[in-house]
Amino acid sequence: MTCREAWFEQVLDHFSWRNDSRWQQRYYVCQETEQQLANPAATIFFYCGNEGNVEMYIRNTGLMFENAKSFSAMLIFAEHRYYGKSLPFGNDFSAASLRYLSHEQALADYAVLLDDFKRKHKMVRAKVIAFGGSYGGMLSAWFRMKYPHIVEGAVAASAPVLSFHSSDKGPWRSEKYWEIVTRDASGAAGSDERCVPLVRQSWPIIDSMGASESGRESLAALFRLCEPLASPGEVNDLKLFIAMAFDTMAMGNYPFPSDYLTGGIGKLPPWPVREACKLLSSCGDCKAENLLDSLCSAISLLYNASGDQACLHLPEDSSYAGIWDFQWCTEMLPQETYFKRDGKRDMFFPFSISSKEIDQHCKSKYGVIPRRGWIEQLYGGLEGIKRASNIIFSNGEFDPWAAGGVNVSEVKDAAARGVEAVWIEEGAHHLDLFFSHPADPPSVKKARQMEVACISKWLHWKEPKEPSKQRMGAVPISQDD
Amino acid sequence: MTCREAWFEQVLDHFSWRNDSRWQQRYYVCQETEQQLANPAATIFFYCGNEGNVEMYIRNTGLMFENAKSFSAMLIFAEHRYYGKSLPFGNDFSAASLRYLSHEQALADYAVLLDDFKRKHKMVRAKVIAFGGSYGGMLSAWFRMKYPHIVEGAVAASAPVLSFHSSDKGPWRSEKYWEIVTRDASGAAGSDERCVPLVRQSWPIIDSMGASESGRESLAALFRLCEPLASPGEVNDLKLFIAMAFDTMAMGNYPFPSDYLTGGIGKLPPWPVREACKLLSSCGDCKAENLLDSLCSAISLLYNASGDQACLHLPEDSSYAGIWDFQWCTEMLPQETYFKRDGKRDMFFPFSISSKEIDQHCKSKYGVIPRRGWIEQLYGGLEGIKRASNIIFSNGEFDPWAAGGVNVSEVKDAAARGVEAVWIEEGAHHLDLFFSHPADPPSVKKARQMEVACISKWLHWKEPKEPSKQRMGAVPISQDD
């Protein structure tokens, strides 16, 4: 299958008319043969691009590629506005320029892009299945919920669609996120039993050293930081930097080497949290300096995945979110740096932020204040999901985002509507979307089978009657209902 | 039942965050007893206000009042932004101020208003049924389609949801609208057989007289105009004025006297088109002057419904649409003054307007250009409606808006999903929504029964088990699923 880059002149503001600006949206079309474009009954697998360069999703969404042929499907990967090369205002990410960044605008982009694509290629009857992982999975589910005439069904992998206040479930417990990160580092998830206690032991040591200038010098040296730690505030940045390493490795806690969570620069080893915990637990007497030195080795698995970093940089963006922080500051799309920690049920240090502080942050950074109830008003929380149709949600045992996902038990009554959920033991962040790998646990194979079965059902797919007469690579005509 | 006016501080722009302005939205709450507010299981009948003062819908939507008691329902009538007293920018209707006028914003208003209302009154589990007629019916159907977690079902009366280009039905034939107006004036609809030919005869006479200054003076006198006809262009305004009278009387072609289409100033007689045709047909020799004099009497049924107009004013707004023209100029919500006429299949004079002319008009008047495909991209045309659930569409034989409505045969396969349609013989514009009247044709009684049956089904309504123990006016607890 080959993928080609394409561009679409997209509406800037779908929900207002005074500004009729357009911008160039990037997408990729992948197909086996050129014939699929001419095939009015082809299937389209559509990836709902999330907050990154769309090429990353092309490289990693094996589920779409591996099942394209059996559904005679062509693939479209759409890039989300303001990310990758789909930049309505170029590299201007000022608050004023971000005003058209919202998931509603992104979904409308996808609707308009698909509608135009299908008309242009004379395939208006082609059926579309939406795919997405993480925020892309939220988009995938929401795309089906709001545009059911455009997508037959949606695969929503590791999509934290319930990480919001909900009338039926009450306020979301964001603490659960960091508890899952912690669990990944525990014996229950196959990590060294000493790991969680050792991480916990490190915070008071860091705090104590961070209180003095000489202590901060030692800390900077122990953690091989490129810049000195100028203040106790920067020591807090270091602590978050460490916590975020465990967070990222928990998301990326896959059974095979992967560069998905390193942004493509170097690979994490298989089961990176277990590996990090092994490094941490090799701390000898595990007194102050040895402990922190081992902790540095542990987080360097991620931060020096490329192996060529002479020293580590603390990020300047303390939200770790880039412009995603705008999406948090508006619709409160989830960003774990804002989630609660108590240091008891999780292995980190206590953290909480009040609504007022969030408002102040968002107001001063972007001139906006979040509308907290909006996502629930728009989608109806769990109740809304149960009334939707043709969506399969997947969540992984090792993935902290499972904290905001749809549980199997929560939608068991909605199976007749095609709303299903699958739990992936030993699965990290949307493992099911990746290319198959010999190290895959049986759970993810089963999840993928369920997803494919759902797609078959949604498409009313029947195998072509005489497959022996099909040329290799030719496109059988799909059976319509 | 008593209704009280209430106000809600509403979000100005639901789809953007840079502007966090609020405005005061008006709504009315009608209930039998105050107890309903405290009843967590009460039903809410919600009227989706359309392009007018909401009090008009309260006065005329008898269907909601007459069925409130049997469903233990309280009523909410929400006023649409920019209409009535719900004015985000007061009386400033400049193009810049209208930028937040769209049906998506209005639906989001209704979602947020209802969510807030239910929380405030501790009735978050109350089930909501949406009602609406005409544009309000479109809103009602679309509300169910986009916010199914908020409304259990929708009564969409005379809602021209298919008056748009549609992938499955092709371009909409707007001519059909004026053909139905014409049919109302024909023997098939009970009007004098001479009516349609006489209307047709009048146009060349008006054109011929309108070509000269003395002819225009005679025309102004014959039609009792308050101002002279200064130019042939104004003669065209007169012709449209006449056509619009037949249009409005066709919409208001009810079997009883009604002030719904006169804006409350004076009443149209029962079957006003028949009455107008009778007046027109009493033209004696029906030569030029007698014909036009009778035509003036016919249209005066509407334009002098109050009986106190010494002369008639041609409207200054040639679109007959007010700020609705902005909704046409953006989302192309239907406005019949732009619909085609050929003068052959209808009794009027040929008219058509190109996309380019519409664009020019909209650009110069509002600085906007319509996005023609948008409504279909958003709702999916007929295909989208068939995939929706719990909506009953009604259309009337005498109502020109039936041209863009959902036909019974079109959704017969969607009945299992609760999507139904009913055809009202001898019904004009959403007759079914009005208070019952002794002159109601059997068809509308049947339509109302169907609507009530749908609501029962959507609410899983069961009659209270021991009605004899209920105090009169007390509120039985609804049975949940």
Side-chain angles (χ1 to χ4, degrees), chain A residues 194-208:
Chain A
R194 289 168 295 174
C195 190
V196 170
L198 287 170
V199 171
R200 284 205 173 103
Q201 282 167 37
S202 65
W203 310 121
I205 298 171
I206 295 173
D207 285 337
S208 152

Side-chain angles (χ1 to χ4, degrees), chain A residues 110 177 254 385 417:
Chain A
Y110 298 159
Y177 184 95
Y254 303 122
I385 283 164
R417 309 180 57 84

Side-chain angles (χ1 to χ4, degrees), chain A residues 357-408:
Chain A
E357 287 168 312
I358 292 168
D359 287 357
Q360 281 166 349
H361 161 73
C362 295
K363 191 76 189 169
S364 77
K365 185 168 176 186
Y366 296 118
V368 301
I369 288 176
R371 269 186 268 130
R372 290 185 169 69
W374 175 236
I375 291 292
E376 202 212 352
Q377 287 163 340
L378 204 50
Y379 296 106
L382 178 59
E383 199 53 46
I385 283 164
K386 284 156 72 175
R387 291 169 181 224
S389 60
N390 294 7
I391 307 174
I392 181 163
F393 294 94
S394 65
N395 282 288
E397 177 190 3
F398 291 166
D399 179 17
W401 287 111
V406 175
N407 292 335
V408 175

Side-chain angles (χ1 to χ4, degrees), chain A residues 11 13-20 22 95-102 104-105 108 111-113 115-116 119 124 127 144-152 165-167 326 329-331 363 366-371 373-381 383-384 387 389 417, chain B residues 11 13-20 22 95-102 104-105 108 111-113 115-116 119 124 127 144-152 165-167 326 329-331 363 366-371 373-381 383-384 387 389 417:
Chain A
V11 173
D13 188 356
H14 295 277
F15 303 104
S16 175
W17 276 259
R18 291 278 296 167
N19 181 337
D20 61 356
R22 296 291 193 278
S97 299
L98 291 174
R99 67 180 299 149
Y100 304 103
L101 171 57
S102 75
E104 291 96 323
Q105 298 278 12
V112 171
L113 171 67
D115 182 64
D116 184 86
R119 280 176 208 275
V124 291
K127 292 183 175 178
R144 170 64 190 168
M145 289 170 80
K146 291 296 189 219
Y147 297 86
H149 53 287
I150 293 184
V151 286
E152 303 298 316
H165 172 85
S166 160
S167 290
F326 182 82
C329 274
T330 49
E331 311 197 78
K363 191 76 189 169
Y366 296 118
V368 301
I369 288 176
R371 269 186 268 130
W374 175 236
I375 291 292
E376 202 212 352
Q377 287 163 340
L378 204 50
Y379 296 106
E383 199 53 46
R387 291 169 181 224
S389 60
R417 309 180 57 84
Chain B
V11 173
D13 188 356
H14 296 277
F15 303 104
S16 174
W17 276 259
R18 291 278 297 167
N19 180 338
D20 61 356
R22 296 291 193 277
S97 299
L98 290 175
R99 67 179 299 149
Y100 304 103
L101 171 57
S102 76
E104 291 96 325
Q105 298 278 11
V112 171
L113 171 67
D115 182 63
D116 183 86
R119 281 176 207 274
V124 291
K127 292 182 174 178
R144 170 64 190 168
M145 289 170 80
K146 291 296 188 218
Y147 297 85
H149 54 288
I150 294 184
V151 286
E152 303 298 316
H165 173 86
S166 161
S167 290
F326 182 82
C329 274
T330 49
E331 311 197 78
K363 191 75 190 169
Y366 296 118
V368 301
I369 288 176
R371 269 185 269 130
W374 175 237
I375 291 291
E376 202 212 351
Q377 286 162 339
L378 205 49
Y379 296 106
E383 199 52 46
R387 291 169 182 224
S389 60
R417 308 180 58 84

Side-chain angles (χ1 to χ4, degrees), chain B residues 102-138:
Chain B
S102 76
H103 90 272
E104 291 96 325
Q105 298 278 11
L107 288 182
D109 288 343
Y110 298 160
V112 171
L113 171 67
L114 268 167
D115 182 63
D116 183 86
F117 184 90
K118 289 167 72 172
R119 281 176 207 274
K120 193 156 58 195
H121 296 292
K122 308 262 181 290
M123 48 195 298
V124 291
R125 303 206 58 202
K127 292 182 174 178
V128 182
I129 300 292
F131 290 76
S134 196
Y135 171 44
M138 298 164 80

Side-chain angles (χ1 to χ4, degrees), chain B residues 23-87:
Chain B
W23 58 284
Q24 292 296 318
Q25 179 170 27
R26 183 166 67 151
Y27 64 104
Y28 278 85
V29 179
C30 309
Q31 48 183 345
E32 199 77 52
T33 72
E34 280 298 324
Q35 278 173 277
Q36 278 169 301
L37 276 184
N39 179 353
T43 302
I44 295 173
F45 284 176
F46 182 84
Y47 189 89
C48 301
N50 31 318
E51 73 286 20
N53 187 312
V54 72
E55 295 169 48
M56 187 163 76
Y57 308 116
I58 298 174
R59 277 205 310 277
N60 288 286
T61 314
L63 186 69
M64 289 169 67
F65 287 94
E66 293 179 358
N67 292 287
K69 200 165 197 172
S70 63
F71 287 104
S72 296
M74 58 185 301
L75 316 184
I76 296 178
F77 289 83
E79 192 163 65
H80 192 294
R81 53 168 61 199
Y82 291 90
Y83 294 100
K85 292 188 174 173
S86 294
L87 303 172

Side-chain angles (χ1 to χ4, degrees), chain B residues 276-320:
Chain B
C277 282
K278 194 185 294 174
L279 289 167
L280 176 59
S281 306
S282 312
C283 46
D285 66 0
C286 298
K287 302 279 184 206
E289 300 218 340
N290 284 339
L291 176 61
L292 299 192
D293 189 64
S294 295
L295 187 55
C296 178
S297 302
I299 66 171
S300 295
L301 262 190
L302 173 70
Y303 293 135
N304 190 17
S306 63
D308 61 3
Q309 301 291 302
C311 58
L312 303 182
H313 288 279
L314 296 188
E316 286 180 30
D317 174 6
S318 62
S319 74
Y320 284 72

